Amino acid sequence: MIVTGSIIPTAEEVGPNPVYTLNRDLIEKSGERTTAELLRTQPIANANGVPVQNNANASAGATGVATVSLRGFERRATLVLIDGRRITPYSGYGYDLNTIPLPAVQSIEILKDGASTTYGADAIAGVVNIKLYKDYRGAQLSLYYGNTLDKDAAIYSGDILFGTGDDKTSIDGDIFFFHHNSMFNRDRGNSNHVKFGAPHAHGSPDTTPYNFQLSAVVVREAGGPDFTATRPVIFGTPPDFSNGLTPASDWIYSPRPVRGPFALLPGFNFNAFSSSYPEQERWGGYTAFEHKLCDDQLRIFGDLYYADVKQHDELEPVGTGPWAARGTQLYVPPNHPFQLDANGVPITPPNTPTAAEVGMPPDAYNPFNPFQQIISGGTHARLFDFGNHLIDNENQAFLLTAGIRGDKLFHGSWGYDGAFRYSQITNLSRFTGVSGLRFNRIMNAADPIYDPTSAQYIGTTTPFNPFGDGLHNPIPSNSIPVEFARVSPRDINTFKIATVDLNIYTTDLFDLPAGGVGLAIGGQFRRETETTDLDDANRLGGVLGGGLSPSSHSGRREYAFYGETLIPVFTPAMRVPGFHSLQFSAAARFEYWKNNDTNTLVPKVGVRWQPFDEQLTIRSTWGEGFREPGLAALFGFRFFGLVPTSYHGNVNQDTRFEIDPNPLLTPEHSRNWTGGVVYTPKWITTGQLTVTIDLWDIERDGVPNIPGPQLVVGQFISGHLPPGEQVVLDPTGNQVIFVRTTFQNAGRENARGVDLGIQYQLPTRYGTFTSLTQVTYLDSFIFQFFGGKAREVAARATYDWFDSIFPTYGNTEGWFKWKGISRLDWTWHNFDMNWTVHYTDGFWEEIYAKKFDGHWKQHYVPHTWFFDAQTSYEITCTAPVETMPVPGYSKDSNAVEAVVSGRSPEQSVAYSMPCWKNLLSNTRITVGVNNIFGQRPPTAFGFELQNPINYPGSYYDNLGRFVYVQLTKKF
């Protein structure tokens, strides 16, 4: 057989490469519902995967995608294969596991070291090889239903697995359907309100009614209080339940935003409107075949796969952030048009934006504005009239493989395997938002859209009134302008990879005293492309919360040649003390990238040593890796978000942050070492015990990363902004409202730890008991950024400040030192019961940073224990063994008498089971509970108390106790 991590077939169960296999039995007993959930719960999976839950704003990676990250490195460091060959990655976010249905998976092999020479120099943290069903015979129908106790996140799915064939031809396939209902943050008590770490620090400053920045002089002239002696600029807001006509004298004023964290009034509770777990629907199928043309010497094979994955997320209504932020500057025109000077320029009051600064037409006005000024600057708003921010993603995955293979050539020791594979994911992304340009137009009563004689007339002469309470008292006349300004841009992102490879191998190139030398050589061509076609609304920067971002098309071509050898030194037949068996492996891979004329040669060596007998195996590997930057980091589109910044002590929690690609990024280098033992003592006669211990160490240099906004602000203050970075201050010069940065080769990462495994199986007269425990310990994880000091991040949050470098893309989780799964299973006749325990270690999170806040504070996010249970029973109805009486032996006395009397016995009629037995036979009923005790995720506050859902949402979901039932029928 060929084991993941090598091309050369071997009969050894334990090789030099540490491989953990999840067979179909373990998959079914895991209780996990999807491939992504199954892999993310494995102890080897640590921080920085892209989650399904709590990612509507794409802070942890692309929305609608789910990926796994081994060892806690970023997700592109983990290589995912299907049946031993590459699939296309989803831009810079890794490989989308949502497109792989769990019922179609026969097994998953996780290679726990870098397989750089076998699959590619970029397989740095490890390899996940997902094997779909092959050589299946018969048909199997699976139906699944599960729900939380609150009945608000139901799952229902169906799957048909089938296979047929003979000794020459095999055809297999699978058809699947999966649906998961959504759950909102308001549905759980621990996430139904935004608290930002303190009882009085509720909500966001983007509120309804809005937080308006106003001139103190204009407020006084409008009938409001007089702040002119102390403040030139203040903030005001209409009272709750305002109908948009509240006079200035009844407004609420403050030197700072009136609504928001630590303000006079609570901010907006966006958790009441945002989803926690998205609605998902998936369907598709695959088929595979293999046909022997010349017995085993020449076989053709292929597969065809398609999956359509839809995901619907909802976020709270759009929050604008400060209106003067870079992009489309929002504004409300004055109550009536300004007087013009001799040059036709509007004359504006002091301490207010000018018409030129905001791009306002000279005749613009809004009759609902109680102030004769342009309102913009630091104004914050929650555009509640426009409804929730809807995010819809559809990923269409297509895969085609065609190839030839053969073995038992040249005296039975040679074989070959070659194939063409094409893999593509097309992402259709649509979200419902607000056009900034149109938002400004609906504010202006003099705009042609309100002129009945204009071709642009939208059906009303009443402009948008932004001065009401859209949450408690919607203004009916706003509905038509809202519909005009609402947009639903649709982006199309396409990711493709095409590969051609050929491997030739032998298990007996020539003989040594210890046996035959194995050899494998091969070559590969790979072309990878990414295309981003942005909707004009996104491309031109007209959508609030976004920015100007061009479409992109990028690609690269790569050639690779590689070789591998297995060299036996000692065998049991040689009877050498201390060397029952000794085998070395060596491999090398050369890769050349044509797009930037880069090449590399990476080696890998391994050893497998059994000093006494088969009970104890000592193994080790060492190798190097080389990874080109992702196409998204080199040439992709821009990313936008809101982050906190501090400028000379003035904190802005909603600074707009832009991340640009960097075509000047250079490749990274890595080194990987593993060493361990596998012990299966034979002296334990009551059952079978296997203990596995593997040490590992991975080092990476030149890893692309993102300088954080505060670091860019510090460089701005010192006057040393590097190319590609920018900082913009608000009109007062007191706060940062915009920061731009780009990917950089930031420095070094080094992680080390140990994997522990214990399996014990005990057959008894009362059934078979099996215990399996897998634990990973992360001893150290070092981040050392270019020019900075090394930082230990094991047992720390991924969102810590790190000298203002963002090591991740916004994941709210930690690098867990300890993570483990323990399962106890009991099987007796057709009955099976298992109990699973999940342990996840706690971690420290930085709440305040000294360079940012002037003081430092941290909080410990506690560890968790979650318990699952499952039981199943398989109904088996068998026909009687005897279908024809046997003379002299039959239990039928009449038949015996007939023989004695010399008469031939009559043949009995073949037994036929009743219809109900045929329907029930080979049917398995499974009932299970995940999170039996309904435990909640641990509390987490986030940096600057900015975690709105109050728990590490990138790792934990908030579903609670989940009960499910599954029916499986084999035909």
Side-chain angles (χ1 to χ4, degrees):
M1 61 179 178
I2 296 179
V3 180
T4 298
S6 176
I7 305 173
I8 304 173
T10 179
E12 303 292 347
E13 294 185 4
V14 180
N17 297 308
V19 178
Y20 175 60
T21 301
L22 287 161
N23 58 30
R24 189 63 214 178
D25 184 63
L26 289 177
I27 292 173
E28 291 180 349
K29 293 175 180 178
S30 70
E32 302 301 339
R33 304 165 287 256
T34 66
T35 305
E37 290 180 358
L38 174 68
L39 289 173
R40 285 172 61 84
T41 58
Q42 299 306 308
I44 190 176
N46 213 299
N48 292 325
V50 178
V52 171
Q53 75 282 353
N54 302 310
N55 193 37
N57 60 357
S59 62
T63 304
V65 175
T67 69
V68 64
S69 173
L70 302 184
R71 306 300 190 195
F73 293 104
E74 54 95 8
R75 39 264 187 183
R76 284 297 298 269
T78 299
L79 179 62
V80 177
L81 312 173
I82 291 183
D83 294 327
R85 285 185 165 87
R86 284 178 178 259
I87 56 177
T88 185
Y90 190 101
S91 187
Y93 303 108
Y95 303 84
D96 185 15
L97 301 174
N98 283 338
T99 60
I100 304 174
L102 191 58
V105 176
Q106 187 172 18
S107 65
I108 299 176
E109 294 178 348
I110 302 176
L111 178 64
K112 299 187 289 185
D113 77 342
S116 55
T117 58
T118 306
Y119 304 114
D122 56 343
I124 294 173
V127 178
V128 177
N129 185 16
I130 300 172
K131 295 186 174 182
L132 304 181
Y133 269 102
K134 300 291 188 298
D135 296 322
Y136 187 81
R137 294 296 179 265
Q140 176 180 284
L141 170 67
S142 297
L143 300 175
Y144 178 100
Y145 176 79
N147 208 338
T148 64
L149 286 190
D150 297 287
K151 298 181 177 60
D152 54 8
I155 295 177
Y156 46 91
S157 65
D159 183 89
I160 299 176
L161 175 68
F162 60 90
T164 185
D166 52 28
D167 59 347
K168 293 189 65 175
T169 304
S170 174
I171 300 175
D172 306 271
D174 184 83
I175 302 172
F176 64 89
F177 175 82
F178 175 93
H179 184 92
H180 195 311
N181 289 340
S182 62
M183 187 195 78
F184 282 72
N185 284 308
R186 61 175 178 263
D187 297 327
R188 297 294 183 270
N190 61 328
S191 63
N192 62 0
H193 207 98
V194 179
K195 296 185 178 179
F196 287 149
H200 61 287
H202 290 182
S204 161
D206 291 333
T207 65
T208 179
Y210 302 174
N211 276 313
F212 293 100
Q213 183 176 334
L214 305 168
S215 164
V217 172
V218 175
V219 169
R220 182 188 62 189
E221 293 175 351
D226 187 358
F227 285 84
T228 56
T230 57
R231 295 273 181 169
V233 175
I234 61 173
F235 286 85
T237 182
D240 292 343
F241 301 96
S242 173
N243 63 357
L245 303 176
T246 304
S249 58
D250 293 337
W251 279 39
I252 306 166
Y253 300 94
S254 173
R256 53 172 295 159
V258 182
R259 302 175 186 269
F262 306 99
L264 292 178
L265 297 175
F268 185 79
N269 178 25
F270 47 75
N271 281 9
F273 305 92
S274 58
S275 60
S276 172
Y277 209 99
E279 180 181 3
Q280 293 182 312
E281 186 168 288
R282 314 172 192 173
W283 64 272
Y286 88 93
T287 183
F289 79 95
E290 182 174 279
H291 178 68
K292 297 180 179 179
L293 294 177
C294 299
D295 294 326
D296 290 328
Q297 285 79 24
L298 177 59
R299 292 170 283 165
I300 60 173
F301 67 93
D303 55 50
L304 181 66
Y305 178 91
Y306 178 81
D308 186 279
V309 179
K310 297 178 181 178
Q311 180 166 309
H312 173 77
D313 286 272
E314 292 193 29
L315 287 174
E316 66 283 353
V318 173
T320 63
W323 283 17
R326 183 180 181 270
T328 303
Q329 182 163 341
L330 306 181
Y331 64 90
V332 181
N335 177 268
H336 51 275
F338 288 121
Q339 293 183 352
L340 305 180
D341 63 14
N343 297 318
V345 176
I347 302 173
T348 56
N351 302 317
T352 66
T354 65
E357 289 172 344
V358 300
M360 187 189 78
D363 61 344
Y365 73 100
N366 187 304
F368 301 111
N369 186 351
F371 307 99
Q372 184 55 19
Q373 73 160 88
I374 299 173
I375 301 177
S376 186
T379 296
H380 286 67
R382 182 70 55 180
L383 306 184
F384 197 86
D385 301 84
F386 293 82
N388 270 7
H389 189 180
L390 309 180
I391 304 99
D392 290 281
N393 280 273
E394 181 177 4
N395 291 339
Q396 300 171 349
F398 173 79
L399 184 146
L400 171 68
T401 309
I404 59 173
R405 63 166 62 108
D407 53 22
K408 301 180 182 178
L409 300 170
F410 307 113
H411 307 291
S413 64
W414 286 80
Y416 63 92
D417 185 303
F420 164 79
R421 168 167 284 184
Y422 177 79
S423 175
Q424 173 179 311
I425 290 182
T426 300
N427 166 252
L428 308 176
S429 177
R430 181 188 296 274
F431 68 92
T432 301
V434 182
S435 166
L437 297 174
R438 292 191 173 191
F439 183 78
N440 284 341
R441 293 187 66 186
I442 65 175
M443 292 284 192
N444 178 13
D447 194 279
I449 62 174
Y450 297 122
D451 182 359
T453 65
S454 170
Q456 303 179 43
Y457 181 60
I458 62 174
T460 183
T461 58
T462 304
F464 182 78
N465 183 347
F467 300 100
D469 184 345
L471 174 60
H472 300 106
N473 191 12
I475 300 173
S477 62
N478 280 348
S479 59
I480 295 179
V482 161
E483 194 60 34
F484 173 77
R486 184 187 288 125
V487 292
S488 296
R490 182 175 181 263
D491 300 332
I492 302 176
N493 307 296
T494 306
F495 315 101
K496 303 176 183 178
I497 187 171
T499 61
V500 179
D501 61 69
L502 176 63
N503 303 318
I504 300 173
Y505 57 84
T506 178
T507 57
D508 191 9
L509 180 65
F510 59 86
D511 289 331
L512 294 176
V517 173
L519 175 70
I521 58 174
Q524 183 184 83
F525 168 78
R526 184 168 82 239
R527 177 168 177 79
E528 183 179 355
T529 61
E530 293 187 6
T531 302
T532 300
D533 292 321
L534 297 181
D535 189 283
D536 285 348
N538 288 328
R539 183 175 57 84
L540 301 175
V543 180
L544 294 183
L548 183 66
S549 183
S551 298
S552 65
H553 177 81
S554 57
R556 57 181 164 216
R557 287 180 288 176
E558 180 245 345
Y559 301 88
F561 301 95
Y562 44 90
E564 177 187 2
T565 184
L566 293 178
I567 305 172
V569 180
F570 297 106
T571 64
M574 300 174 71
R575 299 180 181 275
V576 178
F579 293 95
H580 176 76
S581 175
L582 179 63
Q583 181 186 76
F584 290 99
S585 65
R589 184 181 184 100
F590 173 80
E591 293 192 357
Y592 169 69
W593 287 269
K594 190 173 182 180
N595 61 305
N596 58 356
D597 197 28
T598 303
N599 65 80
T600 185
L601 177 65
V602 293
K604 184 176 182 180
V605 294
V607 60
R608 175 184 174 273
W609 174 36
Q610 293 178 333
F612 311 116
D613 54 24
E614 291 84 0
Q615 297 183 79
L616 177 65
T617 300
I618 301 173
R619 61 190 181 187
S620 182
T621 63
W622 177 89
E624 293 185 351
F626 180 93
R627 179 174 174 268
E628 286 276 325
L631 291 176
L634 289 168
F635 311 111
F637 59 90
R638 300 183 180 114
F639 175 81
F640 301 90
L642 296 176
V643 295
T645 57
S646 177
Y647 181 70
H648 297 301
N650 298 312
V651 176
N652 181 6
Q653 300 285 359
D654 293 316
T655 304
R656 294 193 65 232
F657 185 42
E658 177 183 321
I659 304 171
D660 291 352
N662 182 2
L664 302 180
L665 287 175
T666 58
E668 66 168 278
H669 299 263
S670 65
R671 287 157 293 280
N672 188 306
W673 173 83
T674 67
V677 298
V678 180
Y679 182 49
T680 306
K682 294 182 178 180
W683 51 267
I684 298 180
T685 58
T686 56
Q688 182 176 356
L689 174 68
T690 300
V691 179
T692 304
I693 302 174
D694 285 301
L695 306 175
W696 53 271
D697 189 295
I698 302 173
E699 184 174 348
R700 305 170 68 189
D701 292 313
V703 183
N705 235 304
I706 305 168
Q710 192 58 39
L711 178 62
V712 180
V713 171
Q715 294 169 333
F716 172 76
I717 293 174
S718 64
H720 297 91
L721 270 182
E725 296 184 351
Q726 181 184 9
V727 174
V728 177
L729 302 179
D730 68 359
T732 66
N734 294 323
Q735 286 188 332
V736 175
I737 59 175
F738 175 77
V739 174
R740 181 176 67 190
T741 187
T742 185
F743 284 88
Q744 296 181 12
N745 292 99
R748 180 176 68 93
E749 298 176 9
N750 187 14
R752 66 172 184 263
V754 58
D755 298 324
L756 307 172
I758 301 176
Q759 181 172 348
Y760 179 66
Q761 189 171 72
L762 177 64
T764 71
R765 59 183 296 186
Y766 303 106
T768 300
F769 295 86
T770 303
S771 173
L772 175 62
T773 300
Q774 295 287 330
V775 177
T776 292
Y777 173 69
L778 179 63
D779 177 63
S780 174
F781 201 119
I782 298 294
F783 269 103
Q784 184 172 13
F785 301 103
F786 190 78
K789 65 178 181 179
R791 288 185 174 271
E792 177 62 70
V793 299
R796 296 214 60 88
T798 57
Y799 44 87
D800 276 357
W801 195 47
F802 298 118
D803 277 342
S804 252
I805 300 286
F806 278 5
T808 72
Y809 296 94
N811 292 58
T812 52
E813 57 187 339
W815 282 279
F816 311 111
K817 268 187 169 291
W818 290 96
K819 187 180 178 185
I821 298 178
S822 184
R823 179 175 293 112
L824 178 62
D825 179 74
W826 172 49
T827 302
W828 183 56
H829 296 296
N830 294 356
F831 182 78
D832 183 274
M833 178 180 291
N834 67 81
W835 177 274
T836 305
V837 180
H838 301 264
Y839 175 79
T840 303
D841 203 7
F843 58 92
W844 289 96
E845 61 172 352
E846 189 174 24
I847 296 178
Y848 299 114
K850 189 171 184 180
K851 291 184 179 180
F852 193 91
D853 302 285
H855 65 284
W856 182 78
K857 185 178 181 180
Q858 64 177 352
H859 165 254
Y860 185 72
V861 179
H863 64 264
T864 58
W865 296 86
F866 287 92
F867 302 87
D868 304 336
Q870 182 191 92
T871 183
S872 65
Y873 181 77
E874 184 163 351
I875 302 171
T876 304
C877 300
T878 58
V881 175
E882 180 185 351
T883 59
M884 179 182 294
V886 180
Y889 296 93
S890 175
K891 296 179 182 179
D892 186 346
S893 59
N894 294 329
V896 176
E897 291 175 1
V899 173
V900 173
S901 63
R903 292 181 287 110
S904 298
E906 297 181 1
Q907 291 188 352
S908 61
V909 179
Y911 179 81
S912 178
M913 283 195 301
C915 179
W916 66 270
K917 283 191 175 183
N918 281 320
L919 290 175
L920 291 179
S921 185
N922 297 320
T923 299
R924 184 174 69 251
I925 301 174
T926 303
V927 178
V929 183
N930 292 343
N931 190 5
I932 293 176
F933 302 110
Q935 294 170 268
R936 291 179 173 180
T939 300
F941 299 126
F943 181 59
E944 290 293 302
L945 306 176
Q946 288 293 301
N947 184 343
I949 60 174
N950 310 313
Y951 64 90
S954 294
Y955 182 77
Y956 295 95
D957 63 47
N958 207 16
L959 295 175
R961 187 182 293 110
F962 190 90
V963 182
Y964 62 90
V965 59
Q966 181 173 345
L967 180 95
T968 304
K969 166 67 177 177
K970 294 183 179 179
F971 299 91

